[in-house]
Amino acid sequence: MALRRLPSLKALRAFEAAARHGSFSRAAAELSVTHAAISHQIRALEEELGAPLFHRTGRAVELTERGQRLLPALTAAFEQIGEAWAQAGARDTGALTVSVEPSFAARWLVLRLGKFNRANPEIELRLLPSSELVDFSREDVDIGVRYGLGGWPDVVSEKLFEATVYPVCSPALLDPKKPIRKPEDLKSYPLLHEETMQHWQQWLEAAGVKHPRWALRGPLFIEASLALQAAAGGQGVALANDTLAMADLAEGRLIRLFDIEMPDEEGYWLVYPKDGLKKPKVQAFRNWIREEAGLGPPEAPKPPEMLTPRGRGKAIR
């Protein structure tokens, strides 16, 4: 492709500054040159173009129609050049900070991080355990995982997992004298609650149990991982989903009691700033976690402005 001949970059910069300020003097102050230098550069542009870019009336200057057409494109071009130069000169220590709620980190992410570290030895991974939403514009965090409905403002959200819940317990908890054949039989066992006492009642009602007020009893845990740990220790029956209970189920520390499961409107989402993928380390983590979640090749993310803000205040569960 043949390259088009361009005018002097210095002259274009002088014109853009003068047009943006509406003043040769203010443009000269911004570029640390004299008023005469700005005037000379713009006059050279006008001679090369063969048409005026400014109307000059005494000390006042006003853009001509040609100047008005030229200004927006030049301003955008210089902003892009400035951003590219800043990125090229920025130091990247290789550290990647991931905000993740402790339960998800302990029961899913940490179990798989060896794969990421082996594939990306140059990236120093830092996990930030937190149940709060992260403000990427204010905090030194590159990417995160949240639990909710998605569509948080000012971030790109990519769904990693759907969530459904079902009862689990330790095999050691089961008493032959108190068999569990139907959901109503859970009345004979301690129920372990996570975050709210209402989840068990909702699951039992979805399973066909009428008025399960007896479900509003038992210990309440702030973190899902604590409820599952208590269940694996034989302290009662917990509600779990595959994402958090997968390892315990596979290794026999927990067993699933019923095929009945309750869909959860919320799910697990990967979130990052809209320009986050410009960092190779963020793109590497995104590609890796999507593959671990079974999502296949990365899809083009939707820009944040296309999403409707929704979701709970907790980062993930």
Side-chain angles (χ1 to χ4, degrees):
M1 183 178 66
L3 294 178
R4 297 180 180 179
R5 182 180 177 278
L6 295 176
S8 162
L9 184 63
K10 184 183 294 187
L12 290 174
R13 191 74 181 92
F15 164 76
E16 191 277 336
R20 178 163 37 84
H21 287 295
S23 165
F24 285 13
S25 297
R26 287 197 290 271
E30 177 183 314
L31 300 179
S32 300
V33 297
T34 65
H35 182 287
I38 294 292
S39 180
H40 174 75
Q41 294 286 356
I42 292 174
R43 182 71 67 185
L45 276 182
E46 291 176 327
E47 289 177 359
E48 186 170 348
L49 184 65
L53 294 170
F54 287 97
H55 295 300
R56 297 166 175 81
T57 307
R59 291 188 177 183
V61 293
E62 182 179 341
L63 284 170
T64 64
E65 183 178 348
R66 288 175 185 263
Q68 291 174 358
R69 292 201 304 267
L70 182 60
L71 176 62
L74 281 182
T75 299
F78 282 120
E79 287 178 352
Q80 288 181 342
I81 292 172
E83 182 179 345
W85 182 252
Q87 290 179 2
R91 292 186 60 191
D92 190 345
T93 62
L96 175 72
T97 302
V98 183
S99 171
V100 56
E101 194 272 340
S103 292
F104 185 85
R107 293 193 157 263
W108 193 91
L109 186 58
V110 168
L111 300 178
R112 295 163 172 79
L113 281 183
K115 297 180 183 178
F116 179 81
N117 292 332
R118 287 190 294 272
N120 303 274
E122 75 285 359
I123 298 177
E124 178 187 347
L125 187 65
R126 298 174 183 172
L127 294 186
L128 178 65
S130 175
S131 295
E132 304 300 324
L133 297 185
V134 170
D135 184 345
F136 290 101
S137 66
R138 295 177 179 271
E139 301 179 51
D140 186 19
V141 175
D142 298 298
I143 196 167
V145 178
R146 295 179 183 172
Y147 184 85
L149 296 172
W152 293 275
D154 302 322
V155 297
V156 178
S157 304
E158 298 183 33
K159 196 164 194 178
L160 295 175
F161 304 103
E162 300 283 351
T164 57
V165 296
Y166 46 79
V168 297
C169 72
S170 167
L173 178 71
L174 300 178
D175 184 347
K177 297 179 181 180
K178 297 183 290 185
I180 300 178
R181 298 189 178 94
K182 56 186 183 301
E184 289 89 342
D185 296 333
L186 291 171
K187 189 175 183 179
S188 301
Y189 289 86
L191 301 183
L192 308 177
H193 302 268
E194 182 261 318
E195 190 178 334
T196 175
M197 305 290 282
Q198 303 301 319
H199 289 162
W200 262 115
Q201 190 171 24
Q202 292 168 359
W203 184 89
L204 288 164
E205 289 175 350
V209 179
K210 295 182 179 180
H211 311 298
R213 296 186 182 89
W214 49 268
L216 301 177
R217 56 175 173 76
L220 178 66
F221 299 87
I222 296 177
E223 298 289 348
S225 61
L226 297 178
L228 292 177
Q229 186 174 345
Q235 297 181 34
V237 183
L239 285 173
N241 62 58
D242 285 331
T243 304
L244 298 187
M246 186 183 303
D248 284 327
L249 289 168
E251 296 176 15
R253 290 187 294 270
L254 291 174
I255 59 172
R256 180 171 176 170
L257 295 177
F258 299 99
D259 290 334
I260 304 168
E261 57 186 27
M262 181 176 68
D264 192 337
E265 292 183 357
E266 298 170 299
Y268 297 94
W269 298 76
L270 186 70
V271 294
Y272 49 87
K274 61 181 181 180
D275 59 349
L277 294 184
K278 292 181 179 179
K279 299 179 180 180
K281 60 188 178 183
V282 173
Q283 192 171 90
F285 186 84
R286 177 206 180 214
N287 295 351
W288 172 80
I289 198 171
R290 284 182 57 90
E291 183 177 349
E292 287 296 310
L295 298 180
E299 301 171 356
K302 295 180 181 179
E305 57 269 20
M306 295 177 62
L307 300 170
T308 302
R310 305 171 64 200
R312 300 192 310 192
K314 292 193 69 176
I316 38 179
R317 199 173 67 184

